[in-house]
Amino acid sequence: MSTEIIRVPDIGGATDVEVIEISIQVGDMVEVDQSIIVLETDKASMDVPSSMAGKVTSISVKEGDKVSEGDEVLIVEVEGEQTSSAAPADTKAEAAPKVADSKPAAEAATKVEQVSVPDIGGATDVEVIEVCVAEGDMVEEGDSLIVLETDKASMDIPSPFTGKIGKIAISVGDTVSEGADILSLDALSSEVTTAEPASVDSAKAETSAVTERADSETESASVGVETVNVPDIGGAEGVEVIEVAVAAGDTVQEGDSIIVLETDKASMEIPAPKSGTVKSVSISVGDKVSEGHPVLELEVEGAADVTKPVEQKAPEAKQDPVPEKAVSAPVTAPVADQSAVLSEPSKKVHAGPAVRMLARELGVDLSLVRATGPRGRILKEDLHAYVKAAVQKATTSSASPAVSSGAGLPTVPDQDFSKFGDIEVVKMSKIQRMTAQNMARNALVVPHVTQFDKADITDLEDFRKGLKGEMEKQGVKLTPLPFLIKAVAQAMRANPSFNVSLMADGESYVQKGYVHIGVAVDSPVGLVVPVLRDADQKSIVQIAQEINVLIKKAMDKQLKPADMQGGCFTISSLGAIGGTGFTPIVNCPEVGILGVSKADVEPRWNGKEFEPRTMLPLCLSYDHRAVNGGDAGRFMTYLNALLSDVRRLSL
């Protein structure tokens, strides 16, 4: 008899998973694929099956413990192992006669097993998003066979045996439930598989004898330099190299990223086709490449390439169980150097439930995180690297951080709109970009409240139209806007709570002794807000003259930065365009903004009868941190009184 250790298999990259049930006890006899413990993440529970049959001699975990892939679960005493485990311990001279009989022994020790979907936490009709193996592949116990995805989590289904893949019963896109057939497997019996851990040297000798007896002598000498070229990249030509992930002397594994290319629509990583050592790199960042362009010279080691195609997974899997964490460290360590943030969102995101939960807690969009785990899986280390890169960028950037997507909120991923019809990608102007950033910041930071009302401007309009001809002779265009500016300026004097700005410390505010009014202008380059200074000290005619000059400068793109600074309050008028109301966004650091819509004639009751009156819709948005509802109500009432009786503007 011999003792064997059963460890936690591949659980989809999840770490620190809680043990919620121990299904066996010391002294129990367990069979292959019998459930031994049950694990639970934040989204699913999963049974861990026994990989071999035998008697349980000790259990290394208890309910409530946290485990990860590779952690020891229990030790079993396996019968019938004395001869198989003792044989490799003999002298090396005895290993040679066994070579001739090793293949028949392996063939005699195989059994066809049907692999089914294990317990997946009661979920049904779960979609298959990836099939990790093909018919004829050799797999080790614990290797991923398929990946399932529910609406909340994805999970790997590991192989319960070591052996050769037979018929695969499912494909990508199928929906399965617990017990559904996955594939058939020519499984090696415990007499063969448990002999491997006894001796590393003897195990390698037996495996080599079974799979590559004829090539055993040439394997060690099979070392050569190969040129790695740009593979098929969908017919794109002149594609820019935006990152070179390796340097001369680096050791790479098959599938590791060596360069990153970027077209105008997407970025793509070019993986190493084989494992080996980089001898020289032929390209650099900024170069333009096409399919077939040489990338680097790779010294390929024979041990990584001489294995037959159907058995490529077997050598990799044998090296992974013990040193897996050590191997993954070099991959994740340089993430910060090769940018942990993808330039464009990935269309496929593979991550375990624990990683997805952490991403939600951190507010990270997983489609932007560079994955370094097996088969493109995102690890917790990748999330940490992403957050670290984001923090470093925020602290080192001298410019104001863009918040167009919201602080900590996931971005809206780009789509390939060209598949729906003709499109054109237009670069936003600087003013448009700044406006978008400021509006997003203001909408997120300011607790907005909007109050709606209508002002009776019948008398004001009669007065204005009566002066229109006289003003035109003086070269003054008299619109309703100067009256609005004058009325708002006086309302701010009467209600000083609207003429403040909050300090960044959140404990004080600035009370202003001046009244400068900004007016939003729809200019050819985007939305701009020129500021009219000391509006409360000027007549309506002066206001009309100065605001017309500012609007003309805005339309001619001649505004200077000083023309748009120092505002205390903003007026945004859509009266010339139409509409009955809208909710304007406060223009920080101001605390109020007045939205003005199109005036219309409405019937109003005067106490005896309905009469037509010209009503102007007003929308007052304010920062509720600085302005209370009572302050806003008094401001709007005072403003209505000024606009309804034009004589009050002269007081």
Side-chain angles (χ1 to χ4, degrees):
M1 286 195 231
S2 66
T3 58
E4 300 291 341
I5 299 174
I6 297 179
R7 302 180 184 275
V8 176
D10 179 9
I11 51 178
T15 58
D16 296 332
V17 181
E18 184 178 1
V19 179
I20 63 171
E21 182 182 338
I22 307 292
S23 306
I24 42 83
Q25 297 178 351
V26 175
D28 287 355
M29 295 297 296
V30 295
E31 300 295 330
V32 174
D33 208 24
Q34 178 182 337
S35 177
I36 51 178
I37 62 172
V38 181
L39 306 180
E40 184 175 64
T41 67
D42 61 324
K43 293 298 179 183
S45 60
M46 61 192 85
D47 283 10
V48 175
S50 174
S51 57
M52 57 191 72
K55 181 179 181 180
V56 179
T57 59
S58 68
I59 301 175
S60 307
V61 296
K62 60 182 182 298
E63 291 184 6
D65 285 355
K66 306 286 188 178
V67 298
S68 303
E69 180 179 344
D71 288 351
E72 182 177 320
V73 178
L74 53 84
I75 298 177
V76 296
E77 189 176 78
V78 182
E79 297 183 359
E81 295 295 318
Q82 293 176 339
T83 56
S84 61
S85 59
D90 294 340
T91 63
K92 293 184 179 180
E94 295 178 356
K98 291 187 178 183
V99 170
D101 299 330
S102 59
K103 186 170 183 179
E107 291 176 351
T110 61
K111 177 183 178 182
V112 178
E113 298 281 355
Q114 189 66 36
V115 180
S116 305
V117 176
D119 179 9
I120 50 178
T124 58
D125 296 330
V126 181
E127 184 179 1
V128 179
I129 63 170
E130 184 180 346
V131 178
C132 307
V133 294
E135 294 181 6
D137 285 354
M138 291 294 297
V139 295
E140 291 286 332
E141 178 190 333
D143 285 354
S144 288
L145 300 177
I146 61 173
V147 181
L148 306 180
E149 185 173 63
T150 68
D151 59 336
K152 295 296 183 183
S154 61
M155 62 192 84
D156 285 34
I157 302 301
S159 174
F161 311 105
T162 298
K164 184 177 181 180
I165 301 296
K167 181 69 174 178
I168 298 178
I170 60 176
S171 58
V172 173
D174 289 352
T175 55
V176 297
S177 303
E178 180 180 347
D181 289 341
I182 299 176
L183 49 81
S184 61
L185 185 70
D186 293 334
L188 299 178
S189 71
S190 59
E191 294 179 351
V192 176
T193 59
T194 57
E196 284 190 353
S199 170
V200 175
D201 293 336
S202 60
K204 288 184 178 179
E206 291 183 7
T207 303
S208 176
V210 173
T211 59
E212 293 293 333
R213 180 186 177 193
D215 298 329
S216 60
E217 294 182 359
T218 61
E219 182 175 340
S220 60
S222 174
V223 178
V225 177
E226 297 185 8
T227 300
V228 177
N229 299 323
V230 175
D232 180 10
I233 51 177
E237 296 184 357
V239 181
E240 183 178 0
V241 180
I242 63 170
E243 183 181 339
V244 178
V246 295
D250 287 353
T251 299
V252 297
Q253 299 295 322
E254 180 181 346
D256 285 355
S257 176
I258 51 177
I259 62 171
V260 182
L261 307 180
E262 184 176 60
T263 68
D264 60 338
K265 293 295 183 183
S267 60
M268 62 192 85
E269 296 186 17
I270 304 301
K274 298 180 181 180
S275 301
T277 303
V278 178
K279 301 298 293 181
S280 64
V281 180
S282 308
I283 59 177
S284 57
V285 174
D287 289 352
K288 307 286 187 178
V289 298
S290 304
E291 181 179 347
H293 193 286
V295 177
L296 51 81
E297 299 286 335
L298 187 66
E299 183 177 334
V300 181
E301 299 178 1
D305 297 307
V306 297
T307 310
K308 294 180 180 179
V310 296
E311 295 171 346
Q312 285 180 350
K313 293 183 180 291
E316 291 181 9
K318 288 180 182 178
Q319 296 174 3
D320 283 347
V322 176
E324 179 176 358
K325 294 183 179 179
V327 172
S328 63
V331 179
T332 57
V335 166
D337 296 334
Q338 52 181 285
S339 178
V341 184
L342 296 177
S343 58
E344 290 193 7
S346 174
K347 294 182 178 179
K348 291 185 177 181
V349 175
H350 295 303
V355 174
R356 291 180 182 271
M357 182 180 69
L358 179 60
R360 289 194 298 273
E361 293 175 352
L362 297 175
V364 173
D365 181 1
L366 286 175
S367 67
L368 295 175
V369 179
R370 187 181 300 279
T372 62
R375 295 180 297 280
R377 185 170 296 280
I378 297 175
L379 309 175
K380 282 190 176 180
E381 290 82 357
D382 300 331
L383 277 182
H384 296 156
Y386 176 93
V387 173
K388 182 179 179 181
V391 172
Q392 288 177 345
K393 182 178 180 181
T395 55
T396 57
S397 176
S398 59
S400 298
V403 291
S404 57
S405 62
L409 298 179
T411 58
V412 178
D414 289 334
Q415 297 185 38
D416 183 9
F417 297 100
S418 61
K419 62 185 179 182
F420 306 117
D422 294 337
I423 65 168
E424 178 185 3
V425 178
V426 181
K427 197 74 172 179
M428 295 174 67
S429 67
K430 184 177 181 180
I431 290 180
Q432 290 174 323
R433 294 197 302 271
M434 293 181 64
T435 300
Q437 293 173 13
N438 290 336
M439 290 299 101
R441 179 199 63 191
N442 297 344
L444 287 168
V445 173
V446 175
H448 281 75
V449 178
T450 303
Q451 181 170 326
F452 300 89
D453 205 344
K454 291 183 179 181
D456 187 343
I457 61 169
T458 306
D459 296 339
L460 186 152
E461 280 294 274
D462 291 341
F463 177 71
R464 182 184 68 84
K465 291 176 181 178
L467 293 174
K468 185 175 181 181
E470 181 182 344
M471 290 295 103
E472 287 179 352
K473 290 179 181 180
Q474 299 179 21
V476 179
K477 184 179 181 181
L478 193 61
T479 66
L481 181 58
F483 293 90
L484 280 168
I485 295 174
K486 181 66 174 180
V488 167
Q490 289 194 18
M492 291 185 67
R493 280 297 185 189
N495 298 272
S497 60
F498 273 86
N499 199 16
V500 302
S501 287
L502 297 174
M503 298 291 287
D505 59 10
E507 298 180 356
S508 53
Y509 63 87
V510 175
Q511 182 69 60
K512 302 169 187 175
Y514 52 86
V515 179
H516 302 338
I517 305 297
V519 177
V521 178
D522 183 20
S523 76
V525 294
L527 184 66
V528 294
V529 185
V531 175
L532 178 70
R533 302 185 181 281
D534 300 317
D536 60 321
Q537 302 176 19
K538 295 175 180 177
S539 68
I540 293 177
V541 174
Q542 287 178 301
I543 293 174
Q545 291 172 331
E546 293 186 21
I547 198 63
N548 288 336
V549 171
L550 288 172
I551 292 175
K552 187 177 186 305
K553 289 174 68 175
M555 300 306 292
D556 294 339
K557 298 183 286 187
Q558 295 179 353
L559 282 176
K560 298 178 181 179
D563 295 329
M564 297 180 286
Q565 296 173 352
C568 303
F569 190 95
T570 297
I571 297 175
S572 179
S573 176
L574 297 179
I577 300 174
T580 59
F582 63 103
T583 55
I585 296 175
V586 173
N587 185 22
C588 286
E590 301 168 11
V591 297
I593 183 172
L594 182 69
V596 183
S597 297
K598 185 179 180 181
D600 199 8
V601 177
E602 299 179 4
R604 287 285 167 167
W605 183 254
N606 61 12
K608 296 181 180 180
E609 60 182 356
F610 285 102
E611 61 177 337
R613 305 296 291 180
T614 303
M615 306 302 295
L616 181 67
L618 301 176
C619 316
L620 176 66
S621 291
Y622 55 91
D623 187 340
H624 211 341
R625 297 174 300 174
V627 181
N628 295 325
D631 298 326
R634 285 185 288 271
F635 181 94
M636 188 68 90
T637 300
Y638 189 84
L639 181 62
N640 274 350
L642 293 175
L643 294 175
S644 299
D645 188 350
V646 70
R647 295 172 299 177
R648 293 178 178 272
L649 293 176
S650 62
L651 297 178

